[in-house]
Amino acid sequence: MSNITLHTLTGLKQAGKKFTVLTAYDSTFAHLISSVGIEMILVGDSLGMVLQGQQSTLPVTLEEMVYHTTSVARGNQGAMIMADLPFMSYATPEQCMASSARLMQAGAHLVKLEGGSWLAESIQLLADRGVPVCAHLGLTPQAVNKLGGYRVQGKDKASALQMIEDARQLEEAGASMLLLECVPSLLGEEITRNVSIPVIGIGAGPHTDAQVLVLHDMLGITPGRRPRFSRDFMQQAVSIEDAIRQYDAAVKAVTFPSPEESF
């Protein structure tokens, strides 16, 4: 496929068409995922849990994210690559710029960071310097200790209104994209409708502009219980490639996520 850009994804949102995101951490899966036609690859700090066996994403280092981003970039066949800034690698605007430069030089096309309106200054600095940013709202796994676990966010009116305001401020600051994790479907729909930038959902209902899943969840190989918002696409597939194609098709047909896979 031709190279996917921010212009491509914004155009899909404007046309009311969905796009698909999937995690990858190495060259082989990056090649397969992008060859199938998945528009965006996320090099997630989820690698701490699914590759390293950590209890959270917090131990993941910037050096590890650079290594895996470089590996993914080598195998990529035209998808847009988004890379996570890991825990405490963007605590100040200056640190955020330095960390983002490392990931962009490793092959990322976009960096993702977790947090609300406090990130506006950092996002504006990055945007002004040509670094596209995805702001991650809702359940932010790097703040799991403060949140008291992996819980749905935005369930009450006050926190929902705050998230809507955060989304507005971060778009205004220059965010190119939003990611919503574990929020009620109605809130996911409202935020998606009220911003002009693409919104990716994971456990945020079917109305966001795109869906993302962790590769290992989608293939049904994550140890323990799978998250409610995921689906094992290998159950009806004849190969890994077929499972990825089924995921892509389900997102674009808006049959994933189902009400049972939403909040």
Side-chain angles (χ1 to χ4, degrees):
M1 66 180 178
S2 58
N3 289 347
I4 301 295
T5 66
L6 275 176
H7 181 74
T8 311
L9 302 181
T10 303
L12 289 172
K13 177 186 177 84
Q14 292 170 347
K17 296 181 179 180
K18 305 288 187 182
F19 64 92
T20 314
V21 189
L22 197 56
T23 65
Y25 315 101
D26 62 43
S27 177
T28 301
F29 272 109
H31 188 282
L32 176 60
I33 289 166
S34 56
S35 296
V36 163
I38 301 296
E39 285 85 359
M40 177 177 274
I41 294 171
L42 169 60
V43 187
D45 59 1
S46 50
L47 68 88
M49 302 171 80
V50 299
L51 296 188
Q52 299 175 344
Q54 307 280 7
Q55 294 301 305
S56 73
T57 62
L58 272 63
V60 177
T61 66
L62 181 60
E63 287 68 29
E64 289 168 341
M65 290 304 304
V66 167
Y67 170 83
H68 287 281
T69 300
T70 302
S71 298
V72 165
R74 289 192 188 111
N76 182 38
Q77 302 298 302
M80 194 167 189
I81 298 174
M82 176 163 63
D84 276 341
L85 285 163
F87 180 65
M88 284 299 170
S89 68
Y90 53 101
T92 66
E94 294 75 20
Q95 185 189 27
C96 185
M97 283 194 291
S99 298
S100 298
R102 294 280 308 281
L103 290 178
M104 295 294 284
Q105 289 170 336
H109 304 123
L110 185 85
V111 298
K112 180 166 74 67
L113 31 70
E114 300 179 7
S117 55
W118 67 271
L119 285 168
E121 182 183 357
S122 293
I123 288 173
Q124 184 171 351
L125 287 170
L126 289 173
D128 287 348
R129 287 155 181 79
V131 179
V133 180
C134 177
H136 183 151
L137 297 170
L139 171 59
T140 48
Q142 292 176 15
V144 62
N145 292 308
K146 183 178 180 182
L147 296 174
Y150 298 97
R151 303 171 183 271
V152 179
Q153 303 296 306
K155 290 196 295 185
D156 61 272
K157 185 175 181 180
S159 61
L161 288 173
Q162 182 61 58
M163 203 179 303
I164 292 168
E165 177 61 17
D166 284 344
R168 186 194 66 79
Q169 290 188 30
L170 296 178
E171 178 182 19
E172 193 174 276
S176 297
M177 203 169 291
L178 293 175
L179 187 146
L180 302 177
E181 181 169 357
C182 288
V183 303
S185 293
L186 289 176
L187 179 57
E189 182 178 11
E190 183 168 0
I191 291 174
T192 302
R193 189 175 61 245
N194 287 326
V195 298
S196 61
I197 55 179
V199 178
I200 301 166
I202 179 166
H207 305 293
T208 53
D209 301 305
Q211 299 292 330
V212 61
L213 282 180
V214 171
L215 175 69
H216 296 60
D217 290 343
M218 191 219 75
L219 296 178
I221 58 174
T222 303
R225 191 175 69 175
R226 248 186 321 107
R228 169 180 162 176
F229 54 72
S230 70
R231 184 186 298 179
D232 178 1
F233 283 88
M234 276 301 295
Q235 288 186 347
Q236 307 297 323
V238 297
S239 66
I240 291 174
E241 180 178 338
D242 183 40
I244 294 171
R245 289 187 187 278
Q246 287 190 31
Y247 166 55
D248 185 47
V251 170
K252 289 169 181 173
V254 201
T255 58
F256 175 81
S258 67
E260 295 74 29
E261 294 157 335
S262 306
F263 300 104

